[in-house]
Amino acid sequence: MFQRSSGVVLHISSLPSPYGIGTMGEDAYKFVDFLRDGGQTYWQVLPLGQTGFGDSPYQCFSAAAGNPYFIDLDTLAEMGLLDEQDLRDADVETSPDAVDFAALAETRFVVLRRAFERATPELLGKMAAFRWDNRDWVEDYAMFMSLKNYFDHKALWDWDDEAIKHRDPEAMRKYAFELKHEIDFYVFMQYLFFDQWMKLRAYANEKGIQIIGDIPIYVSPDSCDVWAHPEMFKLSDSLKPNGVAGVPPDYYSATGQLWGNPTYNWKVIEKDGFKWWIWRVRRNLALFDVTRIDHFRGFQAYWEVPDGEDTAINGKWVKGPRMKLFKAIRNALGDVPIIAEDLGDIDDDVRKFLKKSGYPGMRVMIFGMRANETNDHIPFNWPKNCVGYTSTHDSETICEQIQDKCTEADRKFAYEYLRTSDREPLGWSAIRTAFESPADIAMTTMQDVLSLGADARMNTPSTLGGNWSWRVRREAINPDVSGFLRRAAFGGKRLNPRT
């Protein structure tokens, strides 16, 4: 399904911007041009949803909604919805290197509400058309967010009104009337988000750049998905998870990772032919050119931890839907371009499952930098049908791993294997090696393109605070860097013929 190609991972939030977080504005279009000039084929982003606790894009309030923080404010000013004072009020640039999520939470929605109040009848008509086209999710999302505000931002299971918590029809009508203006505001933001996103994607495609999106396997416990479809999850009567997702002790944590997401009631989901999952994949295919499914091994068997545990140690493996789900997706949607994130605690059963699916799995170079050892992650062992990465958003950067984390023996091996020297940055040597590998798709992160270290790490699993905030400086996206990427793509026979 995939041609020999390469690309760069950079989340929207990590783009430069005068407003404290990356947006779908001018700098996003310039990044597309940077990738085109660099001979790349793919731009990979993290999930685009509206983040909640911990600011993680893997813990969103909706599986379908976009993050209002990514709405470009300069575009709204050009539309006459914001003025110069509004833009000054939205400028919370505390650092060009990191997102200040607390400052955004205080200011961004205030400014977006002003834009809503200035919406013209023509714009509201476009919003109404968007609302109708997206009625399968946007009404639940907008009401859920309005109710969260009404109940002082409490989690779903702590809402004060049991009737609306359980979607009693009379309560639904009551709050739909009382919160109409607030609900309309949330729909308006989604209209703006997807209008801007689809224009950005169209521009990328025109320039020969395809976008790889990301589906988290789980949804947040405090989400409109749980509220609208409680039967699909293992929940208590209060809608609090009975069992939560995670992984056993692994490379990242001796006590495992406790994610806190509710686990699926797969028997119920299978009964209706996996309709919700088919809808979810279909929706992502409308937004992205390729979809990466996170934690793919969880469909074969998932680690379930009883609610209330402090760590993931006392979990157990529970059988997942396996090929039943993906056969249903194929029957409904055909052979769709999917990448399976098959990292973590992988056994032979998972390997057989991935092979049956036919989807390319992942390999990560930093996991292969081991002296006197050969494993699946060292680039010369990467299979053709895989996506090979120098590092990922969850791992150390290539420089942090080799320079700060490796043993002396591993470090010496890495430098020799990558053929690095004082003539070029370490990250560039790693990218050349990845691009010359057998993998159909070779990917790197913007952090590795810039040979950045621990300060540029995007996420450290099993930790709270300080994650997801890294941003690239505008001056780092320059012709010298794109020139290197183009030479690396050419040398690895990955040069995009359309660039």
Side-chain angles (χ1 to χ4, degrees), residues 119-168:
T120 62
E122 180 184 2
L123 190 59
L124 292 175
K126 292 178 180 179
M127 182 190 92
F130 166 85
R131 189 174 199 157
W132 175 255
D133 290 341
N134 293 274
R135 59 192 180 280
D136 55 348
W137 65 269
V138 77
E139 298 294 347
D140 282 329
Y141 159 78
M143 180 175 275
F144 176 83
M145 296 307 300
S146 300
L147 287 165
K148 274 193 71 67
N149 291 343
Y150 183 84
F151 293 119
D152 298 321
H153 306 285
K154 291 178 182 176
L156 169 60
W157 50 88
D158 288 329
W159 287 359
D160 299 325
D161 187 332
E162 289 292 320
I164 193 60
K165 185 195 297 185
H166 294 282
R167 298 174 64 89
D168 174 79

Side-chain angles (χ1 to χ4, degrees), residues 345-365:
D345 190 343
I346 305 301
D347 56 25
D348 286 342
D349 287 338
V350 178
R351 293 185 185 95
K352 291 174 184 175
F353 172 54
L354 177 65
K355 189 173 182 179
K356 276 186 178 180
S357 77
Y359 302 136
M362 288 175 54
R363 298 292 185 270
V364 182
M365 181 186 289

Side-chain angles (χ1 to χ4, degrees), residues 71-377:
I71 296 170
D72 182 59
L73 302 183
D74 288 329
T75 300
L76 301 191
E78 292 170 5
M79 295 167 65
L81 300 177
L82 298 177
D83 58 27
E84 289 298 324
Q85 183 59 53
D86 298 323
L87 298 181
R88 285 192 291 271
D89 291 343
D91 185 353
V92 293
E93 185 80 286
T94 54
S95 166
D97 302 312
V99 178
D100 186 339
F101 286 104
L104 282 172
E106 291 292 324
T107 59
R108 188 54 47 90
F109 285 92
V110 172
V111 172
L112 289 172
R113 287 180 192 279
R114 294 176 194 168
F116 177 50
E117 297 303 330
R118 295 170 187 155
T120 62
E122 180 184 2
L123 190 59
L124 292 175
K126 292 178 180 179
M127 182 190 92
F130 166 85
R131 189 174 199 157
W132 175 255
D133 290 341
N134 293 274
R135 59 192 180 280
D136 55 348
W137 65 269
V138 77
E139 298 294 347
D140 282 329
Y141 159 78
M143 180 175 275
F144 176 83
M145 296 307 300
S146 300
L147 287 165
K148 274 193 71 67
N149 291 343
Y150 183 84
F151 293 119
D152 298 321
H153 306 285
K154 291 178 182 176
L156 169 60
W157 50 88
D158 288 329
W159 287 359
D160 299 325
D161 187 332
E162 289 292 320
I164 193 60
K165 185 195 297 185
H166 294 282
R167 298 174 64 89
D168 174 79
E170 186 175 337
M172 293 286 284
R173 287 190 291 270
K174 169 192 168 186
Y175 284 103
F177 177 77
E178 291 183 3
L179 302 178
K180 181 182 183 306
H181 191 72
E182 187 76 353
I183 291 168
D184 289 347
F185 169 60
Y186 276 96
V187 174
F188 175 73
M189 288 193 292
Q190 290 305 301
Y191 162 73
L192 294 177
F193 176 94
F194 286 105
D195 181 61
Q196 292 189 5
W197 172 256
M198 297 309 289
K199 288 174 181 175
L200 175 60
R201 182 193 170 186
Y203 181 82
N205 289 169
E206 287 170 8
K207 300 297 181 180
I209 304 301
Q210 296 185 52
I211 298 180
I212 301 175
D214 199 334
I215 297 182
I217 181 174
Y218 295 113
V219 302
S220 170
D222 186 25
S223 67
C224 70
D225 308 289
V226 171
W227 180 57
H229 307 285
E231 72 285 352
M232 295 197 315
F233 305 94
K234 297 179 182 179
L235 307 172
S236 69
D237 291 341
S238 68
L239 302 186
K240 197 172 184 182
N242 278 330
V244 296
V247 293
D250 63 2
Y251 169 86
Y252 294 111
S253 172
T255 58
Q257 298 177 43
L258 190 63
W259 297 333
N261 308 80
T263 51
Y264 291 106
N265 188 335
W266 283 113
K267 289 182 180 178
V268 169
I269 296 173
E270 184 180 347
K271 273 185 181 179
D272 75 350
F274 301 101
K275 286 181 181 177
W276 185 81
W277 263 100
I278 292 169
W279 164 83
R280 197 175 182 195
V281 172
R282 180 186 288 115
R283 174 151 188 83
N284 272 263
L285 291 171
L287 301 178
F288 308 112
D289 300 291
V290 181
T291 293
R292 169 192 179 273
I293 298 184
D294 184 53
H295 196 57
F296 191 77
R297 74 101 58 239
F299 297 105
Q300 194 275 336
Y302 56 93
W303 190 251
E304 185 175 74
V305 183
D307 185 46
E309 291 285 327
D310 293 327
T311 73
I313 290 176
N314 293 324
K316 63 179 181 180
W317 289 111
V318 181
K319 182 180 176 181
R322 304 186 178 180
M323 282 306 300
K324 290 180 183 178
L325 170 62
F326 293 98
K327 285 178 180 176
I329 290 172
R330 270 205 180 93
N331 289 338
L333 305 176
D335 286 323
V336 296
I338 285 175
I339 296 167
E341 188 272 287
D342 61 334
L343 306 176
D345 190 343
I346 305 301
D347 56 25
D348 286 342
D349 287 338
V350 178
R351 293 185 185 95
K352 291 174 184 175
F353 172 54
L354 177 65
K355 189 173 182 179
K356 276 186 178 180
S357 77
Y359 302 136
M362 288 175 54
R363 298 292 185 270
V364 182
M365 181 186 289
I366 65 165
F367 300 154
M369 295 294 100
R370 303 285 187 270
N372 305 314
E373 175 189 326
T374 184
N375 61 42
D376 290 344
H377 292 283

Side-chain angles (χ1 to χ4, degrees), residues 375-396:
N375 61 42
D376 290 344
H377 292 283
I378 194 164
F380 66 71
N381 275 342
W382 290 358
K384 186 176 185 295
N385 187 35
C386 89
V387 184
Y389 293 76
T390 53
S391 67
T392 76
H393 66 271
D394 274 337
S395 75
E396 298 88 351

Side-chain angles (χ1 to χ4, degrees), residues 362-466:
M362 288 175 54
R363 298 292 185 270
V364 182
M365 181 186 289
I366 65 165
F367 300 154
M369 295 294 100
R370 303 285 187 270
N372 305 314
E373 175 189 326
T374 184
N375 61 42
D376 290 344
H377 292 283
I378 194 164
F380 66 71
N381 275 342
W382 290 358
K384 186 176 185 295
N385 187 35
C386 89
V387 184
Y389 293 76
T390 53
S391 67
T392 76
H393 66 271
D394 274 337
S395 75
E396 298 88 351
T397 68
I398 196 81
C399 287
E400 180 188 2
Q401 173 66 18
I402 293 174
Q403 295 174 341
D404 301 340
K405 296 294 183 73
C406 278
T407 65
E408 186 60 36
D410 289 349
R411 187 177 303 112
K412 181 181 178 183
F413 167 77
Y415 276 100
E416 290 177 351
Y417 181 78
L418 299 177
R419 295 162 293 167
T420 193
S421 68
D422 293 338
R423 289 176 295 178
E424 70 177 10
L426 175 57
W428 288 19
S429 299
I431 292 166
R432 288 184 192 279
T433 303
F435 283 16
E436 291 167 4
S437 76
D440 282 338
I441 300 177
M443 298 292 296
T444 187
T445 64
M446 197 62 193
Q447 290 94 323
D448 290 343
V449 172
L450 301 175
S451 291
L452 300 178
D455 289 347
R457 185 164 180 173
M458 191 65 166
N459 179 50
T460 303
S462 295
T463 65
L464 281 176

